Amino acid sequence: MNSRRDFLQKIAGSALALPVLSSFAPRELMQADETPYQGPVLRVAILGLGSYGERVAEAMKDCKRAKLVGVISGTPSKVKTWQAKYGIPEKNCYNYENYDQIKNNPDIDAVYVITPNGLHKEQSIRVAKAGKHVICEKPMAVNAKEAQEMVDACKAAKVKLLIGYRMHFEPKTLEIIRQRKAGEFGKVLFFQGLSGFIIGDPTQWRLNKKLAGGGAMMDIGVYSINGSRYMIGEDPIWVTAQETKNNPQKFKEGVDETIQFQLGFPGGAVASCLSTYSMNNLDRFFLNGDKGFAEMAPSTGYGPIKGRTNKGELEYPHVTHQTVQMDEMSDIILQGKQPIVPVDGEEGLKDMKIVDGIFLAVQTGKKVDLKL
Amino acid sequence: MNSRRDFLQKIAGSALALPVLSSFAPRELMQADETPYQGPVLRVAILGLGSYGERVAEAMKDCKRAKLVGVISGTPSKVKTWQAKYGIPEKNCYNYENYDQIKNNPDIDAVYVITPNGLHKEQSIRVAKAGKHVICEKPMAVNAKEAQEMVDACKAAKVKLLIGYRMHFEPKTLEIIRQRKAGEFGKVLFFQGLSGFIIGDPTQWRLNKKLAGGGAMMDIGVYSINGSRYMIGEDPIWVTAQETKNNPQKFKEGVDETIQFQLGFPGGAVASCLSTYSMNNLDRFFLNGDKGFAEMAPSTGYGPIKGRTNKGELEYPHVTHQTVQMDEMSDIILQGKQPIVPVDGEEGLKDMKIVDGIFLAVQTGKKVDLKL
């Protein structure tokens, strides 16, 4: 049983996607009754055909402004299956030896890297050097040094680098951010992020230090890290952290089971977060100001997200996160659109600097100053 | 506006007290249709006639096994008012100069000390030396050293010392503790306590270091400290803590505004808590195990408490906490009853040791080992 996938998809798909009329509503939802979309379309190849890659491919079937056109995989049988399933032409199929040749393929604009974290850096840089825009799944790398190299390589290659932050396009999340910016919670003073689930198969790559770069923090803790920043609207200036390991057989050296961490923000807010691979029922955000609060539970699963504020429930309908993400990323890459919450390499780099800070704080037992 | 009182009583009294049939139901609720109670009655004097003292006095009107019979106050006009209101005879009225004479009064069994924290130690020890049982409001003192002196003095005087832990008798709290003991949440791994409100009048004693012994931690943070112990069912072995002060005018040296603290427990559970005087909407407990969870919000206000578990809402009716507390304390003092969660001086001392640890962790920036 893949408990991670279960966790994230448990309630996905149980709500209908209904039109949303709002200033930030994804465009396709507003065009339900309009003429077919005729603008630019981002042509995407997926690198890494695992379960999350397949989720993205499925979601992209409903995209208007992005299209899955290619694959990169080390497993020929997977490539065949995907070709049949998604109508991918032979000329857009690559393996891990030859995908630098993608530079000669004018029919692919961007590559979405969806592989184990430890492979992101090398693969993203190869894609950049092939002149294609890079979309890299989170966490973008296993530490800030790698993330910085990726940012630098994409700049040098003059391609865009986006990180797979699907929550940055989620309607309830964006509505809470809008309300926070409008001052509806007053002065924001506290964020809480609880991120965790009980991970299954002990042999999976997510529990392999070399491939994952860590444990729960890399996979699920980053939601609380990233969430603290977009919910509070600032970057933290210090971090403290405490690790607990109850099962050292399952969670080996360098693979974190449970970490609590606390962040301090320049405006005086604090964040209190939990990252764990040993508990379910943890997918909760809570934002508190001196005039009101917002609460999300589930806050980052594949949906539907549930959100409420001191004024009541948020009623936005569920949208498939990855569909909206890929349509919006098309606009960002092809049309220079500025997202409400950044999804670029610098944004991902900030999270990696915080991850580094958390691991250092665990190791030293001391407060670590952050310079994002 | 007394925002503290507002916070705690906001929703008190809005629910009816209905009979509860359960193994831990307060006795009077089970006797609604039975013959009047004829057993022993604890005769109580209240020392300190402030707003919380009055709340206790009002609640005691409904007690069956405890009765308010005396007062100790430095304000003669208050004594007169209370005498009239609660029918207290002149011979049971004392002031701060003469209350050692209570030792010669056979009509008073116990004194409930409800004064600023900084006065608890001296007053409790005087009561003990007068041969009366001591009930002391929480926090029992301003540090563990004082608390230990109180425990020792009561032992030496052969009187009982109980701390005003009203939540230890609250039905939903006890039901969650019962379920946790029965293993219904599986292995307990995480507790979260959020305790806070925006405090009003900056001149009140609760913001005076000498009288309060600290700030939010002494007043409201102790709910999370104590709650972590009775919800998890263990005593912590380490603590880390981080202080944030945004308003040093209002929260002077030694008066904490906001402190986050984390506790580690011998069974591998961790607790993540927040104590603050600068935010409302914080009265939440969350207990998580590998098989289920419990959530309480509000968790420690005067009620009604709201609780739910992974199986659904807890439907116990509201009872006035202080009524149940005083009836149960009567049984503890007069009949040697063992409460489900201890309320004795040793229990209070443990919380004070944790408070000391938190302040030390804030000061040193280091993890502090606890020896409770």
Side-chain angles (χ1 to χ4, degrees):
Chain A
M1 175 178 141
N2 183 329
S3 55
R4 179 174 188 278
R5 188 167 46 197
D6 286 350
F7 160 75
L8 287 163
Q9 75 182 17
K10 199 160 32 180
I11 46 176
S14 66
L16 294 170
L18 299 172
V20 185
L21 294 175
S22 141
S23 59
F24 60 78
R27 194 187 297 174
E28 70 275 16
L29 291 176
M30 303 184 66
Q31 295 188 330
D33 301 321
E34 295 174 22
T35 51
Y37 176 71
Q38 306 225 338
V41 170
L42 184 75
R43 298 162 304 170
V44 177
I46 291 182
L47 189 164
L49 309 184
S51 65
Y52 192 69
E54 193 163 350
R55 176 176 290 274
V56 171
E58 286 297 312
M60 287 186 71
K61 286 180 177 173
D62 295 324
C63 282
K64 300 284 184 298
R65 311 191 295 283
K67 186 171 162 52
L68 174 63
V69 299
V71 293
I72 303 165
S73 169
T75 313
S77 61
K78 275 193 188 173
V79 172
K80 287 288 165 221
T81 309
W82 278 57
Q83 280 193 268
K85 205 165 176 184
Y86 302 109
I88 293 166
E90 188 68 31
K91 71 175 186 63
N92 288 356
C93 296
Y94 296 87
N95 60 42
Y96 289 137
E97 281 69 51
N98 69 10
Y99 75 92
D100 306 283
Q101 296 310 315
I102 207 166
K103 69 180 168 191
N104 302 316
N105 190 330
D107 297 331
I108 294 174
D109 301 309
V111 175
Y112 194 164
V113 176
I114 311 181
T115 52
N117 314 332
L119 308 176
H120 288 178
K121 184 196 82 165
E122 186 220 329
Q123 292 169 336
S124 295
I125 291 176
R126 275 178 73 182
V127 170
K129 285 185 174 166
K132 302 300 180 185
H133 299 297
V134 180
I135 304 172
C136 180
E137 192 43 33
K138 65 88 204 156
M140 71 184 284
V142 299
N143 56 46
K145 183 174 171 292
E146 283 195 0
Q148 184 69 60
E149 286 178 52
M150 292 163 70
V151 168
D152 293 343
C154 289
K155 254 184 209 158
K158 295 189 168 52
V159 297
K160 288 191 173 154
L161 169 60
L162 306 187
I163 314 303
Y165 287 125
R166 65 190 159 80
M167 301 316 296
H168 293 202
F169 306 103
E170 194 280 318
K172 289 181 180 117
T173 303
L174 292 175
E175 171 58 15
I176 290 172
I177 291 169
R178 186 195 67 72
Q179 291 190 21
R180 185 255 299 153
K181 286 180 175 170
E184 298 194 23
F185 311 127
K187 183 172 169 56
V188 168
L189 290 165
F190 182 62
F191 170 78
Q192 170 191 88
L194 305 182
S195 300
F197 65 95
I198 298 176
I199 198 160
D201 177 13
T203 67
Q204 65 188 286
W205 71 260
R206 290 186 181 280
L207 297 175
N208 176 318
K209 162 74 176 165
K210 202 173 148 89
L211 287 173
M217 183 60 63
M218 284 293 175
D219 179 22
I220 194 83
V222 291
Y223 284 107
S224 279
I225 292 174
N226 189 245
S228 75
R229 294 173 49 236
Y230 64 67
M231 293 289 272
I232 290 176
E234 297 177 12
D235 291 330
I237 51 177
W238 57 258
V239 63
T240 48
Q242 306 82 35
E243 183 173 12
T244 304
K245 192 172 286 197
N246 289 321
N247 190 343
Q249 277 70 46
K250 187 172 179 181
F251 305 102
K252 302 217 178 338
E253 179 69 26
V255 178
D256 51 287
E257 177 182 354
T258 299
I259 293 180
Q260 295 187 78
F261 59 97
Q262 303 78 40
L263 300 163
F265 292 80
V270 290
S272 173
C273 302
L274 176 73
S275 162
T276 182
Y277 265 159
S278 287
M279 280 178 268
N280 289 323
N281 303 309
L282 290 173
D283 182 12
R284 296 155 180 254
F285 282 1
F286 176 64
L287 183 72
N288 205 19
D290 62 6
K291 290 188 186 152
F293 68 86
E295 194 170 40
M296 309 185 79
S299 56
T300 64
Y302 295 148
I305 299 302
K306 284 182 72 174
R308 70 182 184 104
T309 72
N310 46 302
K311 291 177 188 158
E313 287 286 326
L314 296 180
E315 299 292 355
Y316 293 84
H318 176 60
V319 290
T320 300
H321 299 169
Q322 295 84 359
T323 305
V324 181
Q325 172 196 328
M326 294 309 291
D327 269 337
E328 292 290 309
M329 286 189 166
S330 168
D331 292 351
I332 293 167
I333 290 175
L334 298 181
Q335 305 191 56
K337 182 173 175 178
Q338 294 294 319
I340 293 165
V341 185
V343 291
D344 55 21
E346 282 81 1
E347 174 79 2
L349 174 59
K350 287 180 180 181
D351 287 345
M352 295 314 304
K353 286 181 177 174
I354 299 172
V355 169
D356 283 359
I358 289 170
F359 288 153
L360 184 61
V362 163
Q363 193 192 316
T364 61
K366 289 184 183 159
K367 181 183 278 196
V368 171
D369 289 326
L370 297 171
K371 284 184 184 64
L372 307 191
Chain B
M1 176 178 140
N2 183 331
S3 55
R4 180 175 188 279
R5 186 168 47 197
D6 287 350
F7 160 75
L8 288 163
Q9 75 181 19
K10 201 160 30 181
I11 46 175
S14 65
L16 294 170
L18 299 173
V20 185
L21 294 176
S22 142
S23 59
F24 60 78
R27 192 187 298 175
E28 71 276 14
L29 291 175
M30 304 186 66
Q31 295 189 330
D33 300 321
E34 295 173 23
T35 51
Y37 176 71
Q38 306 226 338
V41 170
L42 185 75
R43 298 162 303 170
V44 177
I46 290 181
L47 189 164
L49 308 184
S51 65
Y52 192 68
E54 195 163 347
R55 176 176 290 274
V56 171
E58 285 297 312
M60 288 185 71
K61 285 179 177 174
D62 294 324
C63 282
K64 299 285 184 298
R65 310 190 297 283
K67 186 172 161 52
L68 174 63
V69 300
V71 293
I72 303 165
S73 169
T75 312
S77 62
K78 275 193 187 171
V79 173
K80 287 287 163 220
T81 308
W82 278 55
Q83 280 193 268
K85 205 165 176 184
Y86 302 107
I88 293 166
E90 188 66 31
K91 71 176 186 64
N92 288 357
C93 296
Y94 296 87
N95 60 41
Y96 289 137
E97 280 69 50
N98 69 10
Y99 75 92
D100 307 282
Q101 295 310 315
I102 208 165
K103 69 181 168 191
N104 302 317
N105 190 331
D107 298 332
I108 294 174
D109 302 310
V111 175
Y112 194 164
V113 176
I114 311 181
T115 52
N117 314 332
L119 308 176
H120 288 178
K121 184 197 80 165
E122 186 220 329
Q123 292 169 337
S124 295
I125 292 176
R126 275 177 73 181
V127 169
K129 285 186 173 167
K132 302 301 180 185
H133 300 297
V134 180
I135 303 172
C136 180
E137 192 43 33
K138 65 87 204 157
M140 71 184 283
V142 299
N143 56 45
K145 182 173 171 293
E146 284 194 1
Q148 185 68 60
E149 287 178 53
M150 292 163 69
V151 168
D152 294 343
C154 289
K155 254 184 209 160
K158 296 189 168 53
V159 296
K160 288 191 173 155
L161 169 60
L162 306 187
I163 314 303
Y165 287 125
R166 64 189 159 81
M167 301 316 296
H168 293 203
F169 307 103
E170 194 280 318
K172 289 180 180 120
T173 303
L174 292 176
E175 172 57 15
I176 290 172
I177 291 169
R178 186 196 67 73
Q179 291 191 21
R180 184 255 300 154
K181 285 180 176 171
E184 299 195 21
F185 311 127
K187 182 171 169 55
V188 167
L189 289 166
F190 182 62
F191 170 78
Q192 170 190 86
L194 306 183
S195 301
F197 64 94
I198 299 176
I199 198 160
D201 177 12
T203 66
Q204 65 189 285
W205 71 260
R206 290 186 180 280
L207 297 175
N208 176 318
K209 163 73 175 165
K210 201 171 148 86
L211 287 173
M217 183 59 63
M218 284 292 175
D219 179 22
I220 194 84
V222 292
Y223 283 107
S224 279
I225 292 173
N226 189 244
S228 75
R229 295 173 49 237
Y230 63 69
M231 293 289 272
I232 291 176
E234 296 177 12
D235 291 330
I237 51 176
W238 59 257
V239 63
T240 49
Q242 307 82 35
E243 183 173 12
T244 303
K245 191 172 287 197
N246 289 321
N247 190 344
Q249 278 70 46
K250 187 172 179 181
F251 305 101
K252 304 219 176 343
E253 178 70 25
V255 179
D256 52 286
E257 177 183 352
T258 299
I259 292 180
Q260 295 187 79
F261 59 97
Q262 303 79 39
L263 300 164
F265 292 79
V270 290
S272 173
C273 303
L274 176 73
S275 160
T276 182
Y277 264 160
S278 286
M279 279 178 267
N280 289 323
N281 304 309
L282 291 173
D283 181 12
R284 296 155 181 255
F285 282 1
F286 176 64
L287 183 72
N288 205 19
D290 62 6
K291 290 188 187 152
F293 68 86
E295 194 170 40
M296 310 185 78
S299 57
T300 63
Y302 295 148
I305 299 302
K306 285 182 72 173
R308 70 182 183 104
T309 72
N310 46 301
K311 290 177 189 159
E313 287 286 325
L314 296 180
E315 299 292 355
Y316 293 83
H318 176 59
V319 291
T320 300
H321 299 169
Q322 295 83 0
T323 305
V324 182
Q325 173 196 327
M326 294 309 291
D327 268 338
E328 292 290 308
M329 286 189 166
S330 168
D331 292 351
I332 293 167
I333 291 174
L334 298 181
Q335 305 191 57
K337 181 173 175 178
Q338 294 294 321
I340 293 166
V341 185
V343 291
D344 55 21
E346 282 80 2
E347 174 79 2
L349 173 59
K350 288 179 179 180
D351 287 344
M352 295 314 304
K353 285 181 177 174
I354 299 172
V355 169
D356 284 358
I358 289 170
F359 288 153
L360 183 62
V362 163
Q363 192 193 317
T364 61
K366 289 182 182 158
K367 182 184 277 196
V368 171
D369 289 326
L370 296 170
K371 283 183 185 64
L372 306 192

